[in-house]
mmCIF file of all heavy atoms in Angstrom:
data_model
loop_
_atom_site.group_PDB
_atom_site.id
_atom_site.type_symbol
_atom_site.label_atom_id
_atom_site.label_comp_id
_atom_site.label_asym_id
_atom_site.label_seq_id
_atom_site.Cartn_x
_atom_site.Cartn_y
_atom_site.Cartn_z
ATOM 1 N N LYS D 155 -81.763 -28.096 -26.228
ATOM 2 C CA LYS D 155 -82.787 -27.450 -25.437
ATOM 3 C C LYS D 155 -83.586 -28.452 -24.614
ATOM 4 O O LYS D 155 -83.971 -28.167 -23.491
ATOM 5 C CB LYS D 155 -83.732 -26.672 -26.357
ATOM 6 C CG LYS D 155 -83.126 -25.491 -26.958
ATOM 7 C CD LYS D 155 -82.902 -24.364 -25.921
ATOM 8 C CE LYS D 155 -82.061 -23.261 -26.470
ATOM 9 N NZ LYS D 155 -82.556 -22.766 -27.743
ATOM 10 N N HIS D 156 -83.866 -29.529 -25.209
ATOM 11 C CA HIS D 156 -84.787 -30.446 -24.526
ATOM 12 C C HIS D 156 -84.118 -31.729 -24.128
ATOM 13 O O HIS D 156 -84.789 -32.667 -23.678
ATOM 14 C CB HIS D 156 -85.976 -30.758 -25.439
ATOM 15 C CG HIS D 156 -86.537 -29.533 -26.080
ATOM 16 N ND1 HIS D 156 -87.099 -28.515 -25.359
ATOM 17 C CD2 HIS D 156 -86.594 -29.153 -27.403
ATOM 18 C CE1 HIS D 156 -87.479 -27.546 -26.194
ATOM 19 N NE2 HIS D 156 -87.199 -27.916 -27.424
ATOM 20 N N GLY D 157 -82.870 -31.796 -24.281
ATOM 21 C CA GLY D 157 -82.209 -33.060 -23.970
ATOM 22 C C GLY D 157 -81.479 -32.975 -22.662
ATOM 23 O O GLY D 157 -81.332 -31.920 -22.027
ATOM 24 N N GLU D 158 -80.949 -34.076 -22.284
ATOM 25 C CA GLU D 158 -80.232 -34.175 -21.014
ATOM 26 C C GLU D 158 -78.767 -33.771 -21.250
ATOM 27 O O GLU D 158 -78.174 -34.195 -22.216
ATOM 28 C CB GLU D 158 -80.323 -35.597 -20.508
ATOM 29 C CG GLU D 158 -79.624 -35.858 -19.223
ATOM 30 C CD GLU D 158 -79.309 -37.334 -19.045
ATOM 31 O OE1 GLU D 158 -79.995 -38.179 -19.690
ATOM 32 O OE2 GLU D 158 -78.351 -37.657 -18.315
ATOM 33 N N LYS D 159 -78.243 -32.979 -20.350
ATOM 34 C CA LYS D 159 -76.845 -32.530 -20.526
ATOM 35 C C LYS D 159 -75.909 -33.551 -19.966
ATOM 36 O O LYS D 159 -75.603 -33.626 -18.783
ATOM 37 C CB LYS D 159 -76.664 -31.209 -19.809
ATOM 38 C CG LYS D 159 -77.519 -30.104 -20.465
ATOM 39 C CD LYS D 159 -77.087 -28.714 -20.030
ATOM 40 C CE LYS D 159 -77.848 -27.723 -20.898
ATOM 41 N NZ LYS D 159 -77.945 -26.422 -20.342
ATOM 42 N N LYS D 160 -75.382 -34.339 -20.868
ATOM 43 C CA LYS D 160 -74.539 -35.432 -20.423
ATOM 44 C C LYS D 160 -73.079 -35.118 -20.412
ATOM 45 O O LYS D 160 -72.258 -35.802 -19.841
ATOM 46 C CB LYS D 160 -74.769 -36.629 -21.347
ATOM 47 C CG LYS D 160 -76.126 -37.284 -21.202
ATOM 48 C CD LYS D 160 -76.267 -38.448 -22.114
ATOM 49 C CE LYS D 160 -76.974 -37.944 -23.394
ATOM 50 N NZ LYS D 160 -77.357 -39.001 -24.319
ATOM 51 N N TRP D 161 -72.667 -34.052 -21.094
ATOM 52 C CA TRP D 161 -71.263 -33.736 -21.204
ATOM 53 C C TRP D 161 -70.914 -32.608 -20.276
ATOM 54 O O TRP D 161 -71.592 -31.598 -20.226
ATOM 55 C CB TRP D 161 -70.929 -33.338 -22.628
ATOM 56 C CG TRP D 161 -71.354 -34.371 -23.605
ATOM 57 C CD1 TRP D 161 -72.541 -34.453 -24.282
ATOM 58 C CD2 TRP D 161 -70.591 -35.496 -24.009
ATOM 59 N NE1 TRP D 161 -72.537 -35.560 -25.073
ATOM 60 C CE2 TRP D 161 -71.352 -36.238 -24.925
ATOM 61 C CE3 TRP D 161 -69.314 -35.968 -23.683
ATOM 62 C CZ2 TRP D 161 -70.932 -37.377 -25.531
ATOM 63 C CZ3 TRP D 161 -68.884 -37.134 -24.274
ATOM 64 C CH2 TRP D 161 -69.672 -37.839 -25.184
ATOM 65 N N LYS D 162 -69.849 -32.772 -19.569
ATOM 66 C CA LYS D 162 -69.493 -31.746 -18.588
ATOM 67 C C LYS D 162 -68.031 -31.339 -18.731
ATOM 68 O O LYS D 162 -67.145 -32.193 -18.928
ATOM 69 C CB LYS D 162 -69.726 -32.294 -17.181
ATOM 70 C CG LYS D 162 -69.407 -31.280 -16.126
ATOM 71 C CD LYS D 162 -69.653 -31.871 -14.736
ATOM 72 C CE LYS D 162 -68.634 -31.238 -13.808
ATOM 73 N NZ LYS D 162 -68.711 -31.648 -12.480
ATOM 74 N N CYS D 163 -67.774 -30.066 -18.643
ATOM 75 C CA CYS D 163 -66.388 -29.592 -18.690
ATOM 76 C C CYS D 163 -65.736 -29.775 -17.361
ATOM 77 O O CYS D 163 -66.285 -29.435 -16.328
ATOM 78 C CB CYS D 163 -66.379 -28.084 -19.058
ATOM 79 S SG CYS D 163 -64.754 -27.359 -18.909
ATOM 80 N N GLU D 164 -64.540 -30.298 -17.398
ATOM 81 C CA GLU D 164 -63.859 -30.586 -16.132
ATOM 82 C C GLU D 164 -63.502 -29.343 -15.376
ATOM 83 O O GLU D 164 -63.507 -29.272 -14.181
ATOM 84 C CB GLU D 164 -62.565 -31.393 -16.422
ATOM 85 C CG GLU D 164 -62.808 -32.774 -16.916
ATOM 86 C CD GLU D 164 -63.544 -33.628 -15.917
ATOM 87 O OE1 GLU D 164 -63.327 -33.420 -14.689
ATOM 88 O OE2 GLU D 164 -64.382 -34.459 -16.309
ATOM 89 N N ARG D 165 -63.103 -28.344 -16.144
ATOM 90 C CA ARG D 165 -62.534 -27.169 -15.500
ATOM 91 C C ARG D 165 -63.588 -26.236 -14.888
ATOM 92 O O ARG D 165 -63.443 -25.770 -13.798
ATOM 93 C CB ARG D 165 -61.693 -26.373 -16.492
ATOM 94 C CG ARG D 165 -60.360 -27.060 -16.740
ATOM 95 C CD ARG D 165 -59.530 -26.227 -17.690
ATOM 96 N NE ARG D 165 -58.858 -27.117 -18.622
ATOM 97 C CZ ARG D 165 -59.095 -27.129 -19.891
ATOM 98 N NH1 ARG D 165 -59.944 -26.293 -20.442
ATOM 99 N NH2 ARG D 165 -58.488 -27.971 -20.673
ATOM 100 N N CYS D 166 -64.565 -25.993 -15.707
ATOM 101 C CA CYS D 166 -65.511 -24.966 -15.197
ATOM 102 C C CYS D 166 -66.905 -25.527 -14.989
ATOM 103 O O CYS D 166 -67.818 -24.760 -14.750
ATOM 104 C CB CYS D 166 -65.567 -23.833 -16.224
ATOM 105 S SG CYS D 166 -66.183 -24.307 -17.793
ATOM 106 N N SER D 167 -67.061 -26.793 -15.062
ATOM 107 C CA SER D 167 -68.343 -27.444 -14.740
ATOM 108 C C SER D 167 -69.488 -27.002 -15.597
ATOM 109 O O SER D 167 -70.629 -27.104 -15.156
ATOM 110 C CB SER D 167 -68.706 -27.168 -13.258
ATOM 111 O OG SER D 167 -67.621 -27.338 -12.464
ATOM 112 N N LYS D 168 -69.205 -26.572 -16.752
ATOM 113 C CA LYS D 168 -70.290 -26.217 -17.643
ATOM 114 C C LYS D 168 -70.798 -27.517 -18.303
ATOM 115 O O LYS D 168 -70.014 -28.349 -18.709
ATOM 116 C CB LYS D 168 -69.807 -25.274 -18.726
ATOM 117 C CG LYS D 168 -70.265 -23.842 -18.513
ATOM 118 C CD LYS D 168 -69.877 -23.001 -19.687
ATOM 119 C CE LYS D 168 -71.088 -22.440 -20.375
ATOM 120 N NZ LYS D 168 -70.796 -21.383 -21.282
ATOM 121 N N LYS D 169 -72.110 -27.599 -18.439
ATOM 122 C CA LYS D 169 -72.648 -28.846 -18.969
ATOM 123 C C LYS D 169 -73.206 -28.691 -20.380
ATOM 124 O O LYS D 169 -73.756 -27.615 -20.702
ATOM 125 C CB LYS D 169 -73.772 -29.362 -18.051
ATOM 126 C CG LYS D 169 -73.242 -29.850 -16.732
ATOM 127 C CD LYS D 169 -74.315 -30.554 -15.939
ATOM 128 C CE LYS D 169 -73.678 -31.497 -14.953
ATOM 129 N NZ LYS D 169 -74.619 -32.138 -14.108
ATOM 130 N N TYR D 170 -73.074 -29.681 -21.139
ATOM 131 C CA TYR D 170 -73.518 -29.650 -22.525
ATOM 132 C C TYR D 170 -74.262 -30.909 -22.872
ATOM 133 O O TYR D 170 -73.923 -31.993 -22.380
ATOM 134 C CB TYR D 170 -72.330 -29.502 -23.443
ATOM 135 C CG TYR D 170 -71.588 -28.209 -23.234
ATOM 136 C CD1 TYR D 170 -70.556 -28.132 -22.346
ATOM 137 C CD2 TYR D 170 -71.982 -27.058 -23.965
ATOM 138 C CE1 TYR D 170 -69.936 -26.917 -22.144
ATOM 139 C CE2 TYR D 170 -71.312 -25.871 -23.746
ATOM 140 C CZ TYR D 170 -70.280 -25.785 -22.834
ATOM 141 O OH TYR D 170 -69.642 -24.639 -22.650
ATOM 142 N N ALA D 171 -75.273 -30.722 -23.723
ATOM 143 C CA ALA D 171 -75.984 -31.919 -24.172
ATOM 144 C C ALA D 171 -75.433 -32.452 -25.478
ATOM 145 O O ALA D 171 -75.521 -33.628 -25.755
ATOM 146 C CB ALA D 171 -77.471 -31.573 -24.360
ATOM 147 N N VAL D 172 -74.842 -31.556 -26.259
ATOM 148 C CA VAL D 172 -74.309 -31.964 -27.543
ATOM 149 C C VAL D 172 -72.806 -32.128 -27.427
ATOM 150 O O VAL D 172 -72.113 -31.241 -26.944
ATOM 151 C CB VAL D 172 -74.673 -30.892 -28.593
ATOM 152 C CG1 VAL D 172 -74.133 -31.320 -29.938
ATOM 153 C CG2 VAL D 172 -76.161 -30.662 -28.630
ATOM 154 N N GLN D 173 -72.319 -33.229 -27.888
ATOM 155 C CA GLN D 173 -70.897 -33.496 -27.740
ATOM 156 C C GLN D 173 -70.039 -32.486 -28.468
ATOM 157 O O GLN D 173 -69.005 -32.065 -27.967
ATOM 158 C CB GLN D 173 -70.576 -34.906 -28.219
ATOM 159 C CG GLN D 173 -69.147 -35.300 -27.848
ATOM 160 C CD GLN D 173 -68.725 -36.599 -28.505
ATOM 161 O OE1 GLN D 173 -69.262 -36.998 -29.538
ATOM 162 N NE2 GLN D 173 -67.754 -37.267 -27.898
ATOM 163 N N SER D 174 -70.454 -32.056 -29.645
ATOM 164 C CA SER D 174 -69.610 -31.137 -30.376
ATOM 165 C C SER D 174 -69.518 -29.766 -29.673
ATOM 166 O O SER D 174 -68.504 -29.119 -29.676
ATOM 167 C CB SER D 174 -70.115 -30.956 -31.809
ATOM 168 O OG SER D 174 -71.480 -30.611 -31.762
ATOM 169 N N ASP D 175 -70.596 -29.399 -28.988
ATOM 170 C CA ASP D 175 -70.570 -28.166 -28.213
ATOM 171 C C ASP D 175 -69.514 -28.287 -27.100
ATOM 172 O O ASP D 175 -68.714 -27.400 -26.848
ATOM 173 C CB ASP D 175 -71.903 -27.897 -27.544
ATOM 174 C CG ASP D 175 -72.955 -27.463 -28.550
ATOM 175 O OD1 ASP D 175 -72.578 -27.186 -29.706
ATOM 176 O OD2 ASP D 175 -74.148 -27.413 -28.161
ATOM 177 N N TRP D 176 -69.580 -29.455 -26.504
ATOM 178 C CA TRP D 176 -68.648 -29.697 -25.393
ATOM 179 C C TRP D 176 -67.210 -29.655 -25.902
ATOM 180 O O TRP D 176 -66.321 -29.070 -25.253
ATOM 181 C CB TRP D 176 -68.973 -31.050 -24.769
ATOM 182 C CG TRP D 176 -67.994 -31.467 -23.670
ATOM 183 C CD1 TRP D 176 -67.979 -31.040 -22.406
ATOM 184 C CD2 TRP D 176 -66.943 -32.392 -23.846
ATOM 185 N NE1 TRP D 176 -66.942 -31.640 -21.735
ATOM 186 C CE2 TRP D 176 -66.278 -32.465 -22.575
ATOM 187 C CE3 TRP D 176 -66.425 -33.135 -24.885
ATOM 188 C CZ2 TRP D 176 -65.196 -33.300 -22.359
ATOM 189 C CZ3 TRP D 176 -65.348 -33.975 -24.659
ATOM 190 C CH2 TRP D 176 -64.722 -34.037 -23.401
ATOM 191 N N LYS D 177 -66.966 -30.255 -27.008
ATOM 192 C CA LYS D 177 -65.611 -30.281 -27.538
ATOM 193 C C LYS D 177 -65.111 -28.873 -27.871
ATOM 194 O O LYS D 177 -63.995 -28.497 -27.572
ATOM 195 C CB LYS D 177 -65.564 -31.116 -28.826
ATOM 196 C CG LYS D 177 -65.303 -32.573 -28.611
ATOM 197 C CD LYS D 177 -64.948 -33.248 -29.939
ATOM 198 C CE LYS D 177 -64.986 -34.749 -29.787
ATOM 199 N NZ LYS D 177 -65.013 -35.404 -31.081
ATOM 200 N N ALA D 178 -65.998 -28.120 -28.479
ATOM 201 C CA ALA D 178 -65.620 -26.751 -28.868
ATOM 202 C C ALA D 178 -65.305 -25.973 -27.591
ATOM 203 O O ALA D 178 -64.347 -25.160 -27.567
ATOM 204 C CB ALA D 178 -66.759 -26.087 -29.624
ATOM 205 N N HIS D 179 -66.043 -26.176 -26.540
ATOM 206 C CA HIS D 179 -65.784 -25.457 -25.318
ATOM 207 C C HIS D 179 -64.471 -25.866 -24.711
ATOM 208 O O HIS D 179 -63.678 -25.030 -24.254
ATOM 209 C CB HIS D 179 -66.928 -25.732 -24.307
ATOM 210 C CG HIS D 179 -66.569 -25.245 -22.944
ATOM 211 N ND1 HIS D 179 -66.722 -23.939 -22.559
ATOM 212 C CD2 HIS D 179 -66.035 -25.904 -21.873
ATOM 213 C CE1 HIS D 179 -66.311 -23.804 -21.299
ATOM 214 N NE2 HIS D 179 -65.886 -24.964 -20.875
#
Side-chain angles (χ1 to χ4, degrees):
Chain D
K155 290 288 170 52
H156 314 298
E158 180 201 338
K159 295 195 171 159
K160 290 180 263 188
W161 305 93
K162 182 182 147 178
C163 171
E164 292 298 325
R165 284 183 221 115
C166 63
S167 316
K168 255 185 117 166
K169 289 189 157 178
Y170 296 90
V172 181
Q173 188 188 24
S174 53
D175 290 348
W176 175 79
K177 272 194 191 165
H179 168 82

